[in-house]
Amino acid sequence: MALRTRLTELLGIEHPIIQGGMAWTATAELASAVSEAGGLGIIGAGHMPTDILREQIRNAKAATNRPFGVNLMLMTPHIDELVQVVLDERVPVVTTGAGNPGKYMDALKERGIKVLPIAPSTALARRLESIGADAIIGEGMEAGGHIGELATMVLTPQLVDAVSIPVVAAGGIADGRGMAAAFALGAEGVQVGTRFMCAEECTIHPAVKETVIRAKDRDTVVTGRSTGHPVRVIKNKLSRQIEELDRQNKIAELEELGTGKLALAMREGDTQMGSLMAGQAAAMVCKIQPAAEIVDEMIAEATDVMRRLASLAQEA
Ligand code: TUI
C-alpha cells in the first residue's frame, strides 16, 4: 500500500504522515520509530536546552538512517541557539510552530534543510512560500497545544488555493478516515500528534497515555485566550484554575500558574495539576500500540476509504 505525493517525494519518505513535534513528548525514541515506519518522525525541541537537543538529534541519527526532523517552537527565548544546533547537525527537515520563521529561512535553506512552517492563516502561508518554504503545515484548532483560530476543514482547502507548494493538514486527524478527508481537501500529507502520544515508543508518563485513552468527545478545552496564546488541553484541575484566571483576565497569574506544567504532566505523570496538551482527536485514540502499527493502519484505512469513495462516484 502506498500513497505517493509531492510531499513523500520532497522528504524522501514512504508514507505522507508527519508526526507532530510535541514538546516534552516527541523525543528521539518516538521520532526514530515513526521514521523507521516510513513516516517523518519529529523531535519536539520546545524549550529544550541546546545540549539536550544535540543529544536527541544524535540519538535519532543512531537509531535510523531514514529522514527525520526537528520542530522549533519559535516562542522559546533561546531559539537562536536551537536554530544553530539544527544547522550544525544538518537535520534533514525542520518544522516550525508558534511564530514566523522568516528570520532563519535563508540559513536553513543554505544548509539544504527542508523547511515546513506551521501556518494558521493563508496570509502567513503566502508570505512563507515567497521566502522559500518547501511545504506548509496547516494546523486547525482541533489540534492540541498552542492553536490558531480556524478549523482544519476550512483552513486546509484555503491554504491549498493560496499556495502552490504542498500543504500538510493537521489538527483532528487520528485515523485513515481523517487522512482521506484531508486528501479530499487537497492536502498531500497529514501531521498527526495526539495519536502518537499513545505510541509504545512515546516516552511520556503512562498516566498521561491512560488519560488520552479515556478522553471522550468533549473532554478538551481551550484555555489562555486572554494571554493571546490559546492552548488546547484535556480538562483537569489545572485547566479549571486557568479558566477561572482567564475569566478574571488575570494574565500574569495565569502565565505564572502555567509555567512548567507541561513537564509536570508528561514527565511526572501529574494528570490533575499538569498541562495535558492534546487535541480533540484524543477521544479517537483507544489503545497503546507501536508507531509502525499506527502508520500502517492509517495508510491501509485511508487507501480503503479512497477506493470506496471512488467506486461510489462511478455508481452515481
Ligand atoms: O506550536 C504549536 N503548538 C504548540 S507550541 C507549544 S509550547 C507552548 N507552551 C505554552 C504556551 C504556548 C506554547 C505547545 N503547543 N503548534 C503550531 C502552531 N503554530 N499553532 C499556531 C501557530 C502559529 C501561530 C502564529 C504559527 C505562526 C504564527 O505566526 C504569527 C506571526 O508571527 O505571523
Side-chain angles (χ1 to χ4, degrees):
M1 222 84 70
L3 279 173
R4 302 256 180 258
T5 67
R6 286 188 297 167
L7 188 82
T8 54
E9 197 69 22
L10 171 75
L11 302 177
I13 57 176
E14 202 180 331
H15 305 303
I17 297 177
I18 300 178
Q19 166 242 312
M22 303 164 285
W24 286 107
T25 300
T27 60
E29 286 94 333
L30 178 62
S32 55
V34 173
S35 288
E36 275 294 289
L40 186 78
I42 303 278
I43 296 166
H47 296 300
M48 251 180 214
T50 53
D51 55 333
I52 304 286
L53 178 59
R54 198 181 298 278
E55 184 183 288
Q56 285 282 308
I57 293 169
R58 291 185 179 170
N59 290 350
K61 283 180 182 166
T64 184
N65 289 322
R66 295 186 165 193
F68 68 92
V70 169
N71 174 265
L72 296 170
M73 209 282 280
L74 296 170
M75 282 190 328
T76 202
H78 64 305
I79 184 64
D80 288 355
E81 288 107 88
L82 293 177
V83 172
Q84 195 54 51
V85 173
V86 304
L87 292 170
D88 292 345
E89 294 291 326
R90 289 181 186 264
V91 171
V93 184
V94 161
T95 64
T96 65
N100 183 338
K103 179 178 162 195
Y104 307 109
M105 194 67 89
D106 288 347
L108 293 163
K109 304 282 307 178
E110 271 163 29
R111 298 290 207 291
I113 298 173
K114 302 281 188 283
V115 185
L116 284 72
I118 293 181
S121 69
T122 53
L124 183 60
R126 278 202 201 91
R127 217 172 314 135
L128 293 167
E129 177 179 43
S130 75
I131 59 168
D134 293 283
I136 296 290
I137 304 174
E139 192 180 273
M141 50 75 81
E142 297 94 322
H146 174 47
I147 53 172
E149 295 279 342
L150 300 177
T152 305
M153 190 76 163
V154 290
L155 178 62
T156 309
Q158 292 188 74
L159 288 175
V160 168
D161 290 345
V163 298
S164 44
I165 50 179
V167 170
V168 177
I173 301 168
D175 62 21
R177 295 171 298 179
M179 187 169 180
F183 274 55
L185 299 173
E188 295 184 61
V190 293
Q191 179 182 274
V192 176
T194 303
R195 187 158 178 201
F196 282 119
M197 291 175 75
C198 291
E200 261 173 37
E201 297 87 346
C202 181
T203 55
I204 58 171
H205 197 284
V208 176
K209 293 187 184 184
E210 280 310 314
T211 306
V212 170
I213 288 167
R214 276 201 308 272
K216 295 192 296 299
D217 51 355
R218 298 185 60 200
D219 284 351
T220 71
V221 62
V222 179
T223 58
R225 287 202 194 274
S226 63
T227 66
H229 302 298
V231 173
R232 183 181 298 285
V233 295
I234 296 178
K235 292 173 189 169
N236 64 1
K237 192 169 176 187
L238 176 70
S239 76
R240 285 188 288 274
Q241 290 181 1
I242 289 182
E243 273 182 302
E244 188 52 38
L245 293 175
D246 236 345
R247 268 191 291 275
Q248 297 167 7
N249 240 356
K250 292 187 174 164
I251 296 175
E253 283 100 323
L254 196 157
E255 280 173 350
E256 162 97 38
L257 181 62
T259 303
K261 295 300 197 292
L262 185 58
L264 184 64
M266 304 305 169
R267 285 180 65 114
E268 313 294 325
D270 187 336
T271 56
Q272 278 311 315
M273 283 310 291
S275 177
L276 296 172
M277 291 188 192
Q280 290 183 333
M284 294 156 70
V285 179
C286 46
K287 62 178 179 216
I288 295 170
Q289 61 189 145
E293 210 173 281
I294 295 174
V295 170
D296 291 347
E297 270 183 23
M298 285 190 66
I299 296 296
E301 191 181 20
T303 49
D304 196 49
V305 169
M306 286 190 245
R307 270 195 220 102
R308 217 157 23 83
L309 294 179
S311 69
L312 201 65
Q314 280 164 17
E315 283 159 23

